[in-house]
Amino acid sequence: MVTMGQCYNNETIGFFYNNSGKELSSHWRPKDVVVVALGLTVSVLVLLTNLLIIAAIASNRRFHQPIYYLLGNLAAADLFAGVAYLFLMFHTGPRTARLSLQGWFLRQGLLDTSLTASVATLLAIAVERHRSVMAVQLHSRLPHGRVIMLIVGVWVAALGLGLLPAHSWHCLCALESCSRMAPLLSRSYLAVWALSSLLVFLLMVAVYTRIFFYVRRRVQRMAEHVSCHPRYRETTLSLVKTVVIILGAFVVCWTPGQVVLLLDGLDCKSCNVLAVEKYFLLLAEANSLVNAVVYSCRDAEMRRTFRRLLCCLCLRRSTHESARHTPSTRTGASTRIMLPENGHPLMDSTL
C-alpha cells in the first residue's frame, strides 16, 4: 500500500517500474538485442572518433586556440557520453532489475551529465564563433583563462543536472510524480531538462542567424566594389550550408528525444512514449558521433592531422611487425638488422 509522504528508499527497482507502468523484462527480447547491438556499435564509434579528435588537438600546435579548446571539450563530453551509453548497454534489459537504487541513479546520472555537457558546449562554440566573426578574426583572442572558466562552467552545470536527481530531484518520496520513461525521476525534472535543451537550441538559432546576416552584409558590401559576384554567391551558399548542417544535425538528433521527454514530463496519459524512448535515446547518443563530423572532420587541417596520426600508428605497427619477423644478429650492446631491400645493416642501439 502506498502512503502519501512516505519514502521508499529500501524498495527494489521493480517496485518503481511497476508503479510507473513500465515493463521490466526478465529475459532478452528481440527488441532489447537490437537496441544493445546498435548501442554498442554507436558507442564504440563515438569513443574512437572523439579519442582521435582529442589526440589531433593535443598534437597539433595550430589547434591551440580558444575555438579548438572548445572543440576538444566537445570531444571530451561526447567521449564521456560514449562511456555512459556503453555503461547503459551493459546494465539494460533483464539486468536492469538487478540494479540497486544507487546503481540506477549512477547509470542515469552518467547519461544526463555527459549529454548536458555536450549540449552546453555546442552553445559555447556558437557563442565563440559569434565573437570571432564580430571581431573579424579567424580565431578569437579570448584569453585562455576565460576559456577555462567557460569550460568549467559547462561541467559545473552538467554535473549539477546530473547529480540533482540522485540527491533531491527524484520521486522516492512522491510516487505520484514519477515519470514513465525514468521511473525513479520526477516528471518535473524531465520537463526542465527538455525545456533547457529547447532553450539551448533557440539560442543557437539566434546566434547563427545573426552570424549569417552579419557575414552576408559584409560580403555584399565587398561585392559592390568588385565584379566577382560568383565569389559572393559561393561565400553565402557556403555559410548557409554550414548553418543548416549545424542546426539540422541538432534538430534531427535531439528533437525526437526532447519531445517525448517533455510529453512524459507533462504527464501525457495518451502518449505512448515508452514505445520509442530507447530508439530516441540512441539517436541522441548518435549526436556525439555527428558532432565529430560537423564540428571537426569538416576542418581541412583537422583531416590532415587525422591522416598523420593514423599513418604514424600504421607505420609504427608495421615497423613493429617487421622487427619481429626480420632475422637479426646481436653484436655487443647493439643489434644488427639486415634490411631485406638492400642487404645493408642497420645499427639500432635502442634494442
Side-chain angles (χ1 to χ4, degrees):
M1 180 178 176
V2 176
T3 305
M4 294 293 291
Q6 180 182 351
C7 292
Y8 298 87
N9 299 298
N10 296 321
E11 293 291 347
T12 63
I13 293 295
F15 171 82
F16 292 97
Y17 273 63
N18 290 333
N19 172 69
S20 293
K22 185 174 184 178
E23 183 182 0
L24 194 59
S25 59
S26 58
H27 60 280
W28 286 102
R29 301 166 297 182
K31 182 177 76 170
D32 298 327
V33 174
V34 170
V35 169
V36 169
L38 290 173
L40 290 175
T41 302
V42 171
S43 296
V44 170
L45 290 174
V46 166
L47 291 174
L48 293 177
T49 304
N50 287 287
L51 276 173
L52 185 60
I53 291 173
I54 293 172
I57 293 174
S59 64
N60 192 334
R61 293 183 63 85
R62 293 183 182 180
F63 296 147
H64 295 181
Q65 301 285 344
I67 187 64
Y68 288 106
Y69 294 152
L70 291 175
L71 288 176
N73 189 64
L74 178 63
D78 288 336
L79 181 69
F80 185 21
V83 172
Y85 201 76
L86 200 62
F87 184 83
L88 172 64
M89 291 300 97
F90 285 109
H91 296 85
T92 191
R95 295 171 183 158
T96 300
R98 298 198 290 269
L99 289 172
S100 64
L101 297 187
Q102 292 75 18
W104 191 94
F105 278 121
L106 173 63
R107 188 184 77 172
Q108 189 67 34
L110 289 172
L111 279 174
D112 293 345
T113 301
S114 59
L115 294 178
T116 301
S118 181
V119 171
T121 305
L122 292 177
L123 179 59
I125 290 172
V127 172
E128 171 62 7
R129 283 182 167 176
H130 180 268
R131 285 176 53 89
S132 300
V133 170
M134 294 304 162
V136 199
Q137 295 171 347
L138 179 61
H139 301 298
S140 166
R141 301 302 183 193
L142 189 65
H144 286 49
R146 289 180 60 181
V147 175
I148 293 173
M149 290 291 292
L150 190 59
I151 292 173
V152 169
V154 164
W155 285 102
V156 167
L159 286 171
L161 274 176
L163 295 176
L164 268 178
H167 293 88
S168 59
W169 215 341
H170 51 67
C171 63
L172 302 187
C173 302
L175 296 183
E176 70 281 357
S177 68
C178 290
S179 68
R180 283 183 290 165
M181 291 174 58
L184 275 70
L185 300 185
S186 171
R187 288 193 301 272
S188 61
Y189 174 77
L190 268 63
V192 168
W193 209 97
L195 289 173
S196 299
S197 297
L198 177 61
L199 177 61
V200 168
F201 172 69
L202 293 176
L203 289 173
M204 287 174 60
V205 169
V207 169
Y208 282 115
T209 300
R210 189 162 190 268
I211 290 174
F212 170 73
F213 284 112
Y214 176 80
V215 172
R216 192 179 71 167
R217 282 197 306 269
R218 284 188 60 86
V219 173
Q220 280 178 331
R221 289 197 208 103
M222 294 172 61
E224 291 173 359
H225 303 285
V226 294
S227 59
C228 188
H229 287 280
R231 177 70 60 85
Y232 155 68
R233 288 195 296 270
E234 180 184 339
T235 302
T236 305
L237 288 174
S238 177
L239 182 59
V240 170
K241 181 180 177 181
T242 300
V243 172
V244 168
I245 289 174
I246 289 172
L247 297 180
F250 192 93
V251 169
V252 170
C253 293
W254 280 103
T255 301
Q258 301 312 316
V259 169
V260 295
L261 277 177
L262 189 57
L263 290 175
D264 193 16
L266 296 176
D267 198 22
C268 178
K269 300 291 186 183
S270 60
C271 304
N272 190 14
V273 295
L274 297 179
V276 293
E277 56 149 347
K278 293 184 183 295
Y279 301 106
F280 287 172
L281 177 60
L282 178 61
L283 188 59
E285 174 60 26
N287 184 246
S288 295
L289 183 60
V290 174
N291 285 341
V293 176
V294 172
Y295 287 89
S296 295
C297 296
R298 295 178 71 240
D299 187 307
E301 180 66 23
M302 186 72 77
R303 291 197 299 271
R304 283 193 291 270
T305 307
F306 289 161
R307 286 194 291 269
R308 180 173 58 81
L309 288 173
L310 293 174
C311 287
C312 287
L313 186 63
C314 294
L315 184 61
R316 186 174 301 176
R317 182 177 178 181
S318 176
T319 303
H320 179 69
E321 292 295 325
S322 299
R324 286 178 55 190
H325 296 94
T326 305
S328 62
T329 58
R330 188 170 294 275
T331 306
S334 63
T335 301
R336 185 179 299 270
I337 302 176
M338 302 303 295
L339 298 180
E341 290 82 4
N342 52 25
H344 294 301
L346 173 67
M347 300 299 294
D348 187 354
S349 60
T350 64
L351 298 178

